[in-house]
Amino acid sequence: MTKRTSAKYKIDRRMGENIWGRPKSPVNKREYGPGQHGQRRKAKISDFGLQLRAKQKLKGYYGDLTEKQFRRIYAEAERVKGDTGENLIGLLERRLDAVVYRAKFVVTMFAARQFVNHGHVTVNGQRVNIPSYRVKEGDVIEVRDRSKQMTVLLEAVQLAERDVPDYIEADHSKMKATFVRQPGLSDVPYPVMMEPNLVIEFYAQN
């Protein structure tokens, strides 16, 4: 179980945004940050501050990845041919936990990581319990038979707060999804604006 599950809404509060678009987010009621100094007047943010915030927001969105994990993904995005920002988003969306979340098998990104960790998912018929496993185009992700009646699954499928994006084909009657293609930034249904260009600036200067 991820160390951040119990404190996931602190990320929302720290960013001042409902980054997962969830109705229970405390930002819907309190826009100021967490902690005793959260209500202080906000100072003007420097360029470095904006870049850092963009990185923390994107990193937090995917279950609050560690800095080491996130930097490794960024380094790979930089090596691959094409736009680094688009590559970064595409690589993040190819994580197995992200695909499980996008397919609406679970309610949150944190739950997706736990769901994969506990061995409830197969990729092309093979059990995979590594959330960072990278899926490829055409891969079929399926919930294992013994897990298909879990309450968390049934609740997630019925959620009206988000839809399955078009780069994933999901069949909820069979609890199966196919990863169609690697998406770009404009394809991903983020509830808030993500700015991978600022993430690139951050790493370029630090």
Side-chain angles (χ1 to χ4, degrees):
M1 189 167 174
T2 171
K3 65 183 181 296
R4 290 309 306 247
T5 299
S6 62
K8 60 181 179 287
Y9 288 131
K10 278 190 179 178
I11 302 171
D12 274 2
R13 296 276 305 281
R14 198 168 64 224
M15 297 296 144
E17 294 180 84
N18 184 355
I19 67 172
W20 295 285
R22 303 242 46 220
K24 288 183 180 178
S25 173
V27 174
N28 298 338
K29 296 178 182 177
R30 297 181 299 239
E31 294 185 355
Y32 52 86
Q36 62 177 337
H37 303 300
Q39 294 187 63
R40 283 183 175 174
R41 186 182 299 170
K42 292 178 182 176
K44 189 179 178 197
I45 304 177
S46 65
D47 287 346
F48 170 80
L50 289 171
Q51 293 161 4
L52 177 63
R53 180 189 174 89
K55 176 182 75 86
Q56 298 293 70
K57 185 161 63 169
L58 192 59
K59 192 159 71 86
Y61 181 86
Y62 288 94
D64 211 21
L65 302 176
T66 66
E67 180 60 27
K68 186 177 179 182
Q69 285 175 312
F70 194 73
R71 186 179 276 275
R72 192 165 58 231
I73 296 168
Y74 169 78
E76 187 170 347
E78 203 174 27
R79 284 196 305 271
V80 179
K81 191 176 178 182
D83 182 275
T84 303
E86 294 287 331
N87 291 341
L88 176 62
I89 296 300
L91 290 173
L92 287 166
E93 285 291 311
R94 282 174 58 193
R95 287 175 55 95
L96 180 56
D97 55 359
V99 175
V100 166
Y101 173 69
R102 292 283 177 229
K104 282 183 72 173
F105 292 157
V106 292
V107 175
T108 69
M109 195 70 80
F110 293 87
R113 183 184 298 179
Q114 190 175 16
F115 196 71
V116 174
N117 258 331
H118 289 181
H120 297 301
V121 176
T122 64
V123 179
N124 300 328
Q126 299 295 312
R127 183 180 172 190
V128 179
N129 61 0
I130 303 166
S132 61
Y133 176 90
R134 190 167 295 159
V135 302
K136 301 185 293 293
E137 291 182 3
D139 278 356
V140 176
I141 296 87
E142 187 171 6
V143 177
R144 296 179 73 197
D145 285 340
R146 66 179 179 81
S147 308
K148 285 182 178 176
Q149 295 305 314
M150 290 176 68
T151 308
V152 289
L153 276 175
L154 304 175
E155 287 176 354
V157 167
Q158 294 168 13
L159 270 185
E161 66 191 51
R162 60 189 173 91
D163 297 316
V164 178
D166 63 5
Y167 50 91
I168 291 172
E169 289 178 356
D171 182 344
H172 290 136
S173 65
K174 296 178 180 176
M175 289 298 179
K176 183 186 289 189
T178 303
F179 187 76
V180 179
R181 61 181 173 84
Q182 177 168 307
L185 176 61
S186 61
D187 300 314
V188 182
Y190 293 118
V192 297
M193 187 169 69
M194 294 294 180
E195 300 164 295
N197 57 310
L198 293 182
V199 178
I200 293 163
E201 288 175 18
F202 176 86
Y203 282 122
Q205 295 171 24
N206 298 282

